[in-house]
Amino acid sequence: MSSVKEVAKRAGVSSATVSRVLNKDPAVKPETRNKVLQIIRELNYKPNLMAKNLRKQSSKTIVMVLPTMANPFFAGIARGAQAAISQSGYNVIIGTTEFDKLQLSTYVNLLNTNLADGLILVSSNMPKEALRQLAKQHPVVLCNEYYDDLDIQSVSINNRQAGYDATCELLGRGYRSIGYITGTRESSSLLGRMSGYREALQEAGIAFNANLVAKAKSNYEQVIEVVNSIADKEKSIEGIIANSDMLASYILKGIKEGEIRLPGHVGLISFDGTFLSEVMNPALSTVAQPMYDLGFSSVGLLLQKLRNKPETADKRLFLPHRLIVRET
Amino acid sequence: MSSVKEVAKRAGVSSATVSRVLNKDPAVKPETRNKVLQIIRELNYKPNLMAKNLRKQSSKTIVMVLPTMANPFFAGIARGAQAAISQSGYNVIIGTTEFDKLQLSTYVNLLNTNLADGLILVSSNMPKEALRQLAKQHPVVLCNEYYDDLDIQSVSINNRQAGYDATCELLGRGYRSIGYITGTRESSSLLGRMSGYREALQEAGIAFNANLVAKAKSNYEQVIEVVNSIADKEKSIEGIIANSDMLASYILKGIKEGEIRLPGHVGLISFDGTFLSEVMNPALSTVAQPMYDLGFSSVGLLLQKLRNKPETADKRLFLPHRLIVRET
DNA sequence: CTGAAAGCGCTTACAG
DNA sequence: CTGAAAGCGCTTACAG
């Protein structure tokens, strides 16, 4: 493995000059530059970026932490992130917590040990205080979640509006008893959607009914159980909003298998708009999120921070969602 | 940000001693160690791993390159990889090529610039010669693919056997005209499966019919077109093997939408066994691959190489697959 | 058991 | 336009 030193020796110049050529310093005389470039080619020299990064005090690496890759929604966000980073000169370490709180510290440690320059937290349920502390010390961008009282840049859809839109669709079909199935995580996005849900109900003159709302872990058995328990309590249920395509796909399967006992036809709208929603039978009505753009923008905003560009005015970036009505 | 130097000063010792404490050198006197550890806690000192890695000439990072996260099969492999790396002291950069050949060089460059120590190529279609060169210079592990004449460690299922098993299942139902739909990529895994397919046909006394085999890009329209073109040529088609759950899900959708014109009922078996196969309606029969273990083992083998452990005897690790017969 | 010194491979302020 | 020297923050062979 050759080094600047070796290139320098062979080119008859100093290491400083080689470094200048490498960094496209225009001050270098053309002849010198060409000589150096030729030697670089001859030796097939590649700079050691660990050394460069140490010297420059930057790892040129960012971290994106997602709950899991098992949900295509998050996989879509990761794709957007990859695309955004690809020509930037940065690398991205994509990590998942798999819903295990301990894991997050692993990734935060990358910041503390100078292995990463910034962090994107996707659908993180990190406590607000911890988040505040973290963002004080390192560049952080939130994806999908946001806190009005925290000065952290975020990217997401307008969840209140999205919840409102989904509910209105079901109300528009004449349904008055509408359930809401969520995952087990408390989150600002869920709160937003729930407030839109309540708002739409209120406008329709329907009282909020806590019996119609329930949490389920993201596995088939739990979802079946939870939907049945709602249906048992509220025989008149006509519609269900599922907080993700994954949840909705389990519900659909449960209905088909006869394991979910619903009183009759029930309208179903989910969130995310992954390919799952297209491919299911019946095809899912869903509030599509711009997964790719969510990931892409998150990276864009973080890079902007890292490069000390003047920040965009808004601390919160809202990307448009889109209600897609299909068969459910 | 504090450094070993600062810790050393405050603890009244040299940097060397601080470093020894950090690295759990047993030679350090207990009193000294405790004093140092106390200062480390007081200052909340975290070592700069860029510096450490430069000195140790290892990035403690590996790269896993996958075709895309959009396919849950690859997402499953990534999950296994994450799990395997988590307690290892290494980090993994997970990259996707999104079927763009140029992208791969980005990740290979991480090796050349000392930003990564080793590489896992998942379902890579890198040309064999390039692969040989690469593996000469860097630790490489292949996942899903393998080359008998290349001395590179690999992890995969036994694709010949898997193709054989899938075909036998359809033959066992009495079908004699069985199609095979693949993606557009040439690969050793596909060749393996095809040879199992042909072997099973031959054993059943059925001549191989090239009209029944076709490639499609992984998008709905292409799959519809390709399946229809086979069905047009071979009116008697009774069974289809799809090279992935993704392909099969498009076929199912095409049938349901009436866009695929099949002569009658057709048996369908896919590969992978992602959650898609469970959740589709009808539920897919599939040759399940141990996604998680494929990712996990790939990382395990690469770490073994990096740590200079004596390598396991076999260059090829075959993990078991499992035929799951559901509704299709 | 511990320290002084060298060095990993870069970059850059300074001097000329 | 270019070089000598210092330094990023660690680790380790050597000496004592």
Coordinates of all heavy atoms in Angstrom, one line a residue, chain A residues 19-60:
Chain A
S19 N -0.3 16.2 -1.5 CA -1.6 16.5 -0.8 C -2.3 17.6 -1.5 O -3.5 17.5 -1.7 CB -1.3 16.9 0.7 OG -2.5 17.2 1.3
R20 N -1.6 18.6 -1.9 CA -2.3 19.7 -2.7 C -2.9 19.2 -4.0 O -4.0 19.6 -4.3 CB -1.2 20.8 -2.9 CG -0.9 21.5 -1.6 CD -0.1 22.8 -1.9 NE 0.4 23.4 -0.6 CZ 1.6 23.3 -0.2 NH1 2.5 22.6 -0.9 NH2 2.0 23.8 1.0
V21 N -2.1 18.4 -4.7 CA -2.7 17.8 -5.9 C -3.9 17.0 -5.7 O -4.9 17.2 -6.3 CB -1.6 17.0 -6.6 CG1 -2.2 16.2 -7.8 CG2 -0.4 17.8 -7.1
L22 N -3.8 16.2 -4.6 CA -5.0 15.4 -4.3 C -6.2 16.2 -4.0 O -7.3 15.8 -4.3 CB -4.6 14.6 -3.0 CG -4.4 13.1 -3.0 CD1 -4.2 12.5 -4.4 CD2 -3.3 12.7 -2.1
N23 N -6.0 17.4 -3.4 CA -7.1 18.2 -3.0 C -7.4 19.3 -4.0 O -8.0 20.3 -3.7 CB -6.8 18.8 -1.6 CG -6.9 17.7 -0.5 OD1 -8.0 17.2 -0.2 ND2 -5.7 17.3 0.0
K24 N -6.8 19.1 -5.2 CA -7.1 20.1 -6.3 C -6.8 21.5 -5.9 O -7.5 22.4 -6.3 CB -8.5 19.9 -6.7 CG -8.9 18.5 -7.1 CD -10.2 18.4 -7.9 CE -10.8 17.0 -7.9 NZ -9.9 15.9 -8.2
D25 N -5.7 21.7 -5.2 CA -5.3 23.1 -4.9 C -4.8 23.7 -6.2 O -3.8 23.2 -6.9 CB -4.1 23.0 -3.9 CG -3.6 24.4 -3.5 OD1 -3.8 25.4 -4.3 OD2 -3.1 24.5 -2.4
P26 N -5.4 24.8 -6.7 CA -5.1 25.4 -8.0 C -3.7 26.1 -8.0 O -3.2 26.4 -9.1 CB -6.2 26.5 -8.2 CG -6.7 26.8 -6.8 CD -6.5 25.5 -6.0
A27 N -3.1 26.2 -6.8 CA -1.8 26.9 -6.8 C -0.7 26.0 -7.3 O 0.4 26.5 -7.6 CB -1.5 27.3 -5.3
V28 N -0.9 24.7 -7.4 CA 0.1 23.9 -7.9 C 0.4 24.1 -9.4 O -0.5 24.2 -10.2 CB -0.3 22.4 -7.7 CG1 0.9 21.5 -8.2 CG2 -0.6 22.1 -6.2
K29 N 1.7 24.2 -9.7 CA 2.1 24.4 -11.1 C 1.6 23.2 -12.0 O 1.8 22.0 -11.5 CB 3.6 24.6 -11.2 CG 4.1 25.2 -12.5 CD 5.5 25.8 -12.4 CE 6.4 24.9 -11.6 NZ 7.8 25.1 -12.0
P30 N 1.1 23.4 -13.1 CA 0.6 22.3 -14.0 C 1.6 21.2 -14.2 O 1.2 20.0 -14.1 CB 0.3 23.1 -15.3 CG -0.1 24.5 -14.9 CD 0.8 24.8 -13.7
E31 N 2.8 21.6 -14.5 CA 3.8 20.5 -14.7 C 3.9 19.6 -13.5 O 4.0 18.4 -13.6 CB 5.2 21.0 -15.0 CG 5.3 21.8 -16.3 CD 5.1 23.3 -16.0 OE1 4.0 23.8 -15.9 OE2 6.2 24.0 -16.0
T32 N 4.0 20.2 -12.3 CA 4.1 19.5 -11.1 C 2.9 18.6 -10.9 O 3.0 17.4 -10.6 CB 4.2 20.4 -9.9 OG1 5.1 21.5 -10.2 CG2 4.7 19.7 -8.6
R33 N 1.7 19.2 -11.1 CA 0.5 18.4 -10.9 C 0.5 17.2 -11.8 O 0.2 16.1 -11.4 CB -0.7 19.3 -11.3 CG -2.0 18.6 -11.3 CD -3.2 19.4 -11.9 NE -3.1 20.8 -11.7 CZ -3.4 21.3 -10.5 NH1 -3.9 20.6 -9.5 NH2 -3.3 22.6 -10.3
N34 N 0.9 17.4 -13.1 CA 0.8 16.3 -14.0 C 1.8 15.2 -13.6 O 1.4 14.0 -13.7 CB 1.1 16.8 -15.4 CG -0.1 17.6 -16.0 OD1 -1.2 17.4 -15.5 ND2 0.2 18.5 -16.9
K35 N 3.0 15.6 -13.2 CA 3.9 14.6 -12.8 C 3.4 13.8 -11.6 O 3.4 12.5 -11.6 CB 5.2 15.3 -12.3 CG 6.3 14.4 -11.8 CD 6.9 13.5 -13.0 CE 7.9 12.5 -12.4 NZ 8.1 11.4 -13.4
V36 N 2.8 14.5 -10.7 CA 2.3 13.8 -9.5 C 1.1 12.9 -9.9 O 1.0 11.7 -9.4 CB 1.8 14.8 -8.4 CG1 1.0 14.1 -7.3 CG2 3.0 15.6 -7.9
L37 N 0.2 13.4 -10.7 CA -0.9 12.6 -11.1 C -0.5 11.3 -11.8 O -1.1 10.2 -11.7 CB -1.9 13.4 -12.0 CG -2.7 14.5 -11.3 CD1 -3.5 15.3 -12.3 CD2 -3.6 13.8 -10.3
Q38 N 0.6 11.4 -12.6 CA 1.1 10.3 -13.3 C 1.6 9.2 -12.4 O 1.3 8.0 -12.5 CB 2.2 10.7 -14.2 CG 2.7 9.7 -15.2 CD 4.0 10.1 -15.9 OE1 4.3 11.3 -16.1 NE2 4.9 9.1 -16.2
I39 N 2.3 9.6 -11.4 CA 2.9 8.7 -10.4 C 1.7 8.0 -9.6 O 1.7 6.8 -9.4 CB 3.8 9.4 -9.4 CG1 4.9 10.1 -10.1 CG2 4.3 8.4 -8.3 CD1 5.9 9.1 -10.7
I40 N 0.7 8.8 -9.3 CA -0.5 8.3 -8.6 C -1.1 7.2 -9.4 O -1.5 6.1 -8.9 CB -1.5 9.4 -8.3 CG1 -1.0 10.3 -7.2 CG2 -2.9 8.9 -8.0 CD1 -1.9 11.5 -6.9
R41 N -1.2 7.4 -10.7 CA -1.8 6.4 -11.6 C -0.9 5.2 -11.6 O -1.3 4.1 -11.5 CB -2.0 7.0 -13.0 CG -3.5 7.1 -13.4 CD -3.7 7.7 -14.7 NE -3.5 9.2 -14.6 CZ -2.6 9.9 -15.3 NH1 -1.7 9.3 -16.1 NH2 -2.5 11.2 -15.1
E42 N 0.4 5.4 -11.8 CA 1.3 4.3 -11.9 C 1.3 3.4 -10.7 O 1.3 2.2 -10.8 CB 2.8 4.8 -12.0 CG 3.1 5.2 -13.5 CD 4.5 5.8 -13.5 OE1 5.4 5.5 -12.7 OE2 4.7 6.7 -14.4
L43 N 1.2 4.0 -9.5 CA 1.2 3.3 -8.3 C -0.2 2.8 -7.9 O -0.3 2.1 -6.9 CB 1.8 4.1 -7.1 CG 3.3 4.5 -7.2 CD1 3.7 5.3 -6.0 CD2 4.1 3.3 -7.3
N44 N -1.1 3.3 -8.6 CA -2.5 3.0 -8.3 C -2.8 3.4 -6.8 O -3.4 2.7 -6.0 CB -2.9 1.6 -8.5 CG -4.4 1.3 -8.3 OD1 -5.2 2.3 -8.6 ND2 -4.8 0.2 -7.9
Y45 N -2.3 4.6 -6.5 CA -2.4 5.1 -5.1 C -3.8 5.5 -4.8 O -4.5 6.2 -5.6 CB -1.4 6.3 -5.0 CG -1.7 7.1 -3.7 CD1 -1.3 6.7 -2.5 CD2 -2.4 8.3 -3.8 CE1 -1.6 7.4 -1.3 CE2 -2.7 9.1 -2.7 CZ -2.3 8.6 -1.5 OH -2.6 9.3 -0.3
K46 N -4.2 5.1 -3.6 CA -5.5 5.5 -3.0 C -5.2 6.1 -1.7 O -4.6 5.5 -0.8 CB -6.4 4.3 -2.9 CG -6.6 3.5 -4.1 CD -7.7 4.1 -5.0 CE -7.9 3.2 -6.2 NZ -8.6 3.9 -7.3
P47 N -5.7 7.3 -1.4 CA -5.5 7.9 -0.1 C -6.1 7.1 1.0 O -7.2 6.5 0.8 CB -6.1 9.3 -0.2 CG -7.1 9.2 -1.4 CD -6.5 8.2 -2.3
N48 N -5.5 7.2 2.1 CA -6.1 6.5 3.3 C -7.0 7.5 4.0 O -6.6 8.5 4.6 CB -4.9 6.1 4.3 CG -5.4 5.4 5.5 OD1 -6.5 5.8 6.0 ND2 -4.7 4.5 6.0
L49 N -8.3 7.2 3.8 CA -9.3 8.2 4.3 C -9.4 8.2 5.9 O -9.8 9.2 6.4 CB -10.6 7.9 3.7 CG -10.7 8.2 2.2 CD1 -12.1 8.1 1.7 CD2 -10.1 9.6 1.8
M50 N -9.0 7.1 6.5 CA -8.9 7.2 8.0 C -8.0 8.3 8.4 O -8.3 9.1 9.3 CB -8.5 5.9 8.5 CG -9.5 4.8 8.6 SD -9.0 3.5 9.8 CE -7.6 2.8 9.0
A51 N -6.8 8.3 7.8 CA -5.9 9.4 8.1 C -6.4 10.8 7.8 O -6.3 11.7 8.6 CB -4.6 9.1 7.4
K52 N -6.9 10.9 6.6 CA -7.5 12.2 6.2 C -8.6 12.6 7.2 O -8.6 13.8 7.6 CB -8.1 12.1 4.8 CG -8.8 13.3 4.4 CD -9.1 13.3 2.9 CE -9.8 14.6 2.5 NZ -9.8 14.8 1.0
N53 N -9.4 11.7 7.5 CA -10.5 12.1 8.4 C -10.1 12.5 9.8 O -10.6 13.4 10.4 CB -11.6 10.9 8.5 CG -12.3 10.7 7.1 OD1 -12.3 11.6 6.3 ND2 -12.9 9.6 7.0
L54 N -9.1 11.8 10.2 CA -8.5 12.1 11.6 C -8.0 13.5 11.5 O -8.3 14.3 12.4 CB -7.4 11.1 12.0 CG -6.7 11.5 13.2 CD1 -7.6 11.5 14.4 CD2 -5.5 10.5 13.5
R55 N -7.2 13.8 10.5 CA -6.6 15.1 10.4 C -7.7 16.2 10.2 O -7.6 17.2 10.9 CB -5.7 15.1 9.1 CG -5.0 16.4 8.8 CD -4.2 16.9 9.9 NE -4.5 18.3 10.1 CZ -3.7 19.3 9.8 NH1 -2.4 19.1 9.5 NH2 -4.0 20.6 9.9
K56 N -8.7 15.9 9.4 CA -9.8 16.9 9.2 C -10.8 16.9 10.3 O -11.8 17.7 10.3 CB -10.5 16.6 7.8 CG -9.5 16.7 6.6 CD -9.1 18.0 6.2 CE -10.1 18.8 5.4 NZ -10.3 18.5 4.0
Q57 N -10.7 16.0 11.2 CA -11.6 16.0 12.4 C -13.1 15.8 11.9 O -14.0 16.4 12.4 CB -11.5 17.2 13.2 CG -10.2 17.4 13.9 CD -10.0 16.4 15.1 OE1 -9.8 15.2 14.8 NE2 -10.2 16.9 16.3
S58 N -13.2 14.9 10.9 CA -14.6 14.6 10.5 C -14.6 13.2 9.9 O -13.6 12.8 9.2 CB -15.0 15.6 9.4 OG -15.8 14.9 8.5
S59 N -15.6 12.4 10.3 CA -15.6 11.0 9.8 C -16.2 10.9 8.4 O -16.1 9.8 7.8 CB -16.4 10.2 10.8 OG -17.7 10.6 10.8
K60 N -16.8 11.9 8.0 CA -17.6 11.9 6.7 C -18.5 10.7 6.7 O -18.7 10.0 5.7 CB -16.6 11.7 5.5 CG -15.8 13.0 5.2 CD -16.6 13.9 4.4 CE -15.8 15.2 4.1 NZ -16.7 16.1 3.4

